[in-house]
Amino acid sequence: MKKIFKIIGFVLLSIVSLFLILLLIFYKSDIPADTNHKKYFTAESQYIEIDGNKLHIRKVGKGFPVLLIHGSFSSLHTWEVWQKEFAQDFTTISVDLAGHGLTGPNHQEKYDTDYYADLLWKLVQELDYDSIALAGNSMGGQVAYKMTLLNPTMVNKLILLNSSGARIANDTAKFKDQNRFSVFSLINHPVFSKLMTSITPKFLFRMSLEQVYYDKSKITDEKIQMYYDLMLHEGNRKATLKRFSQRVPSEFEKLSQIQIPTLILWGEHDSWIPVEHAYRFDSILPKSELKIYKNAGHVPMEEIPLETAKDALEFLKSSLLNPKGT
């Protein structure tokens, strides 16, 4: 019996020791908001107070407005090239969603896609637009189509890039097969998820980018550092864990109601949201066109920005009667 207790004691001591070692090696406190502000706030940046959120946006260009909505774990930086390419024909507004980027957390601790859709309509109202085009990637795609469902008469065009929302039960097994270990593994773990607000190794960000990029050579140390800095932005890690506990229905079945021209862009090598989802969106949306990129993964607007921007611009110009109006 004493031997058993000794073994149990040794195991517990080993676990505690391992935890302390991990804590010493990987512990990172939040990066103060002012520090990231100095590093990532640009000449086009501004903050707008809406619904208790200090939204960080970048407004670039001239002409008809296009709202750009990033995905989970990301920020408005993912649209940087698109904003430059669109500048001559459209006004683009990129935004850090609550719990992301320089916006940071909110007091309500609300971060689900329904809340984001409502929040962004308040932003559109604050910017005084009565009509707008929307583009969203991953989670941002779901936010974009939910905005369209809320106010269809105000949305001129819709662009979905590797959008979430079309998931079915069988997709879970495929995701786990392609991503045997991912940031989602930690976030959904009952123990490790709690540690992520203080233990956040940088290698997780390289690993995640290697999963979402098809061409690994495009992953730079600078890009990894930016993702890392903005995730460690004051309060963002806690907000991320809160967001994953706030599941809401995707409302995918309602997309058959959307009569707005929609462009679906998809990286064929997406290991997070498989390309099969692109065809699901295309089959349910009444006025959609689909383009699959054989040289991209989950974030095609970031991985192949010039190619995707060209296709998006052609789509917007082909159907907007006065792209330089408003």
Side-chain angles (χ1 to χ4, degrees), residues 22-31 73 183 186-187 192-206 208 224-225 227-233 236-238 240-241:
L22 288 172
L23 192 63
L24 288 171
I25 294 174
F26 295 117
Y27 172 79
K28 294 291 181 182
S29 59
D30 279 351
I31 296 175
F73 307 113
V183 66
L186 296 177
I187 287 177
F192 289 114
S193 62
K194 304 298 186 294
L195 300 178
M196 286 189 70
T197 57
S198 56
I199 299 177
T200 313
K202 191 183 288 188
F203 72 78
L204 287 176
F205 295 81
R206 177 176 290 278
S208 295
I224 293 169
Q225 188 66 49
Y227 272 93
Y228 183 71
D229 288 346
L230 294 175
M231 174 56 75
L232 268 64
H233 184 88
N236 277 354
R237 285 180 290 182
K238 183 180 177 181
T240 298
L241 295 182

Side-chain angles (χ1 to χ4, degrees), residues 257-273:
Q257 304 170 15
I258 294 179
Q259 297 296 322
I260 295 160
T262 304
L263 176 63
I264 304 165
L265 304 178
W266 216 277
E268 184 176 45
H269 303 279
D270 189 340
S271 65
W272 280 14
I273 306 181

Side-chain angles (χ1 to χ4, degrees), residues 7 11 37 70 99 157 163 174 177 185 191 193 199 202 216 226 240 260 277 279 298:
I7 293 173
V11 171
H37 170 88
H70 67 75
K157 292 293 162 194
S163 176
K174 185 171 183 178
D177 183 59
S185 306
V191 176
S193 62
I199 299 177
K202 191 183 288 188
K216 309 298 187 287
M226 178 169 56
T240 298
I260 295 160
H277 291 218
Y279 298 105
H298 184 62

Side-chain angles (χ1 to χ4, degrees), residues 73-270:
F73 307 113
S74 191
S75 65
L76 57 69
H77 77 269
T78 198
W79 303 104
E80 285 179 349
V81 177
W82 268 40
Q83 291 200 273
K84 291 176 184 176
E85 293 300 305
F86 280 44
Q88 294 302 312
D89 301 290
F90 297 95
T91 298
T92 55
I93 307 98
S94 61
V95 56
D96 283 337
L97 293 171
H100 296 77
L102 297 185
T103 294
N106 58 37
H107 296 301
Q108 306 97 309
E109 294 190 324
K110 297 204 66 169
Y111 309 106
D112 62 76
T113 53
D114 289 348
Y115 176 76
Y116 285 150
D118 181 67
L119 177 66
L120 292 184
W121 274 125
K122 291 176 181 177
L123 173 63
V124 171
Q125 184 178 26
E126 179 69 22
L127 294 172
D128 199 27
Y129 295 131
D130 56 13
S131 183
I132 197 164
L134 303 174
N137 168 245
S138 191
M139 176 187 72
Q142 186 175 149
V143 175
Y145 76 63
K146 283 187 172 182
M147 288 182 70
T148 306
L149 289 169
L150 284 173
N151 287 302
T153 60
M154 290 183 65
V155 180
N156 190 291
K157 292 293 162 194
L158 177 62
I159 303 176
L160 302 177
L161 301 97
N162 296 64
S163 176
S164 67
R167 178 177 172 273
I168 57 176
N170 293 340
D171 294 329
T172 301
K174 185 171 183 178
F175 176 84
K176 289 181 177 179
D177 183 59
Q178 290 183 303
N179 303 282
R180 296 193 180 279
F181 180 77
S182 71
V183 66
F184 298 102
S185 306
L186 296 177
I187 287 177
N188 292 314
H189 193 281
V191 176
F192 289 114
S193 62
K194 304 298 186 294
L195 300 178
M196 286 189 70
T197 57
S198 56
I199 299 177
T200 313
K202 191 183 288 188
F203 72 78
L204 287 176
F205 295 81
R206 177 176 290 278
M207 178 191 70
S208 295
L209 285 173
E210 287 178 350
Q211 289 176 350
V212 300
Y213 269 65
Y214 171 62
D215 185 352
K216 309 298 187 287
S217 68
K218 293 182 177 180
I219 302 171
T220 63
D221 290 339
E222 181 183 20
K223 189 178 294 291
I224 293 169
Q225 188 66 49
M226 178 169 56
Y227 272 93
Y228 183 71
D229 288 346
L230 294 175
M231 174 56 75
L232 268 64
H233 184 88
E234 193 172 337
N236 277 354
R237 285 180 290 182
K238 183 180 177 181
T240 298
L241 295 182
K242 181 68 69 172
R243 176 164 55 85
F244 273 84
S245 70
Q246 297 175 354
R247 307 283 186 178
V248 292
S250 71
E251 299 186 341
F252 177 76
E253 69 285 350
K254 295 183 180 179
L255 296 189
S256 60
Q257 304 170 15
I258 294 179
Q259 297 296 322
I260 295 160
T262 304
L263 176 63
I264 304 165
L265 304 178
W266 216 277
E268 184 176 45
H269 303 279
D270 189 340

